[in-house]
Amino acid sequence: MTLSVPAPYGMPANTTFQMSSGTGNWVTVWLPGPLSGAVVAKNSLGYGINGVTAFIRQGSCASPGQGVWQNVTATNQWSSGGFGISLLPGTYCTSVKDVPWDYSAPQPVETVVSAPGPIWITIWLDSPTVQGQGDSVISIAAQSRQKIVEFTCPDCTSNVIVEALGPDQASDLLINRSGSYPSGRMLVGFLDWSDSSYSQISVHASGHWTLRILDLDMIRQAGSTISGTGDDVVYLDTPGVVATFSNHGTSNFVVWTTDPTYGIDLKVNVIGNYWGTVAMTSPAVIQITSDGAWSINTW
């Protein structure tokens, strides 16, 4: 029977043994030691999120007990969206105490730790959705080409204007449309020639709208071909030197790209339907303004 153990080991079960004749008998007591691993915070695409404060307590999430671990994800240079942990076998509840401004805190995660290790506790976070009606201002913290604004206002009947604003008088007109705006995505500061900071999103709309601020890793990605409807920002990662664009709409069709060869470049700026092939080096990030269906093919 073990009466005490040094930290951080746990008490083992009693050991039953039989003495036999001979020069000696050895009784081995195995102490349950801590298992190493990590807590990792991820978004819906599986990318790590830095700056998440996680708190681990003993017991189930229905009746958690004493706290045993707290840290912030990516506190070490080798970690992206996580931090290392070491826990004894047992049941633990991991809750989130603080998240970056553009994410919402998830429900606690219950984990049973048992040998053999390692332990991996994954926390899944979603970007919060802001809902409103009419004019409004939303606080953000964004740098040029680092955040995507996703906006929807299907029952709008007049002008829809969504603009990113910065403390240093930086501004980026993301959406300027009349009438219903089913859904669209635009990259904040896409056309900035030098990096700018943005602290607000100004919304001018007559109907009920929803808005989400997404990390750049939430961008739609494809190889050499992609299609969609309405405003969007996409990434094509297959090498190519030309691109064919098509659009079926009634309003402005504008295509901006940024790539290693041409930098920020206006590829298409027309009204209504369009089909054409232009010089464009890919991989490239592409921002599309359209009120209809469009497609892109690079080669």
Side-chain angles (χ1 to χ4, degrees):
M1 181 183 297
T2 301
L3 299 182
S4 65
V5 295
Y9 293 96
M11 293 292 290
N14 293 341
T15 302
T16 301
F17 60 93
Q18 182 176 357
M19 299 293 291
S20 60
S21 60
T23 57
N25 288 271
W26 296 94
V27 179
T28 300
V29 178
W30 296 98
L31 303 184
L35 302 176
S36 62
V39 171
V40 180
K42 296 183 177 183
N43 63 21
S44 58
L45 291 182
Y47 292 95
I49 303 171
N50 300 335
V52 177
T53 302
F55 180 48
I56 303 176
R57 293 180 289 180
Q58 292 177 324
S60 69
C61 290
S63 56
Q66 180 180 359
V68 295
W69 208 285
Q70 178 174 313
N71 209 338
V72 181
T73 57
T75 53
N76 298 299
Q77 61 180 359
W78 50 264
S79 175
S80 176
F83 59 79
I85 57 175
S86 181
L87 298 173
L88 290 167
T91 300
Y92 296 89
C93 181
T94 303
S95 58
V96 172
K97 302 188 68 175
D98 192 26
V99 297
W101 68 271
D102 48 351
Y103 287 96
S104 54
Q107 294 297 313
V109 177
E110 188 170 298
T111 306
V112 176
V113 176
S114 60
I119 317 155
W120 297 105
I121 300 175
T122 303
I123 304 169
W124 296 96
L125 280 71
D126 288 326
S127 298
T129 299
V130 180
Q131 296 182 332
Q133 181 179 10
D135 297 346
S136 185
V137 176
I138 297 98
S139 297
I140 65 168
Q143 297 295 122
S144 300
R145 293 176 293 278
Q146 296 300 313
K147 297 292 182 180
I148 298 171
V149 171
E150 182 180 86
F151 186 79
T152 301
C153 189
D155 65 349
C156 279
T157 56
S158 59
N159 286 349
V160 176
I161 300 175
V162 180
E163 187 175 14
L165 303 173
D168 57 353
Q169 297 185 337
S171 65
D172 183 12
L173 183 59
L174 302 172
I175 301 170
N176 187 5
R177 190 72 55 82
S178 180
S180 174
Y181 190 85
S183 183
R185 288 182 170 189
M186 300 296 279
L187 188 59
V188 175
F190 187 95
L191 301 181
D192 292 347
W193 293 101
S194 59
D195 285 348
S196 296
S197 297
Y198 295 91
S199 57
Q200 295 176 329
I201 296 292
S202 172
V203 177
H204 174 74
S206 59
H208 296 83
W209 49 264
T210 60
L211 182 147
R212 288 202 304 162
I213 308 295
L214 308 175
D215 281 339
L216 186 59
D217 53 41
M218 298 290 285
I219 193 172
R220 284 214 296 144
Q221 300 186 38
S224 60
T225 302
I226 195 167
S227 61
T229 302
D231 298 339
D232 208 345
V233 53
V234 300
Y235 176 69
L236 296 182
D237 62 5
T238 299
V241 293
V242 296
T244 298
F245 297 94
S246 68
N247 179 66
H248 300 281
T250 59
S251 188
N252 291 347
F253 177 56
V254 183
V255 178
W256 287 92
T257 68
T258 177
D259 61 68
T261 300
Y262 296 97
I264 300 173
D265 197 18
L266 178 63
K267 297 301 182 182
V268 182
N269 186 7
V270 298
I271 296 177
N273 295 333
Y274 176 83
W275 188 94
T277 299
V278 299
M280 188 191 83
T281 302
S282 59
V285 177
I286 306 171
Q287 182 164 283
I288 304 107
T289 299
S290 173
D291 68 344
W294 51 264
S295 66
I296 305 172
N297 182 33
T298 63
W299 71 92

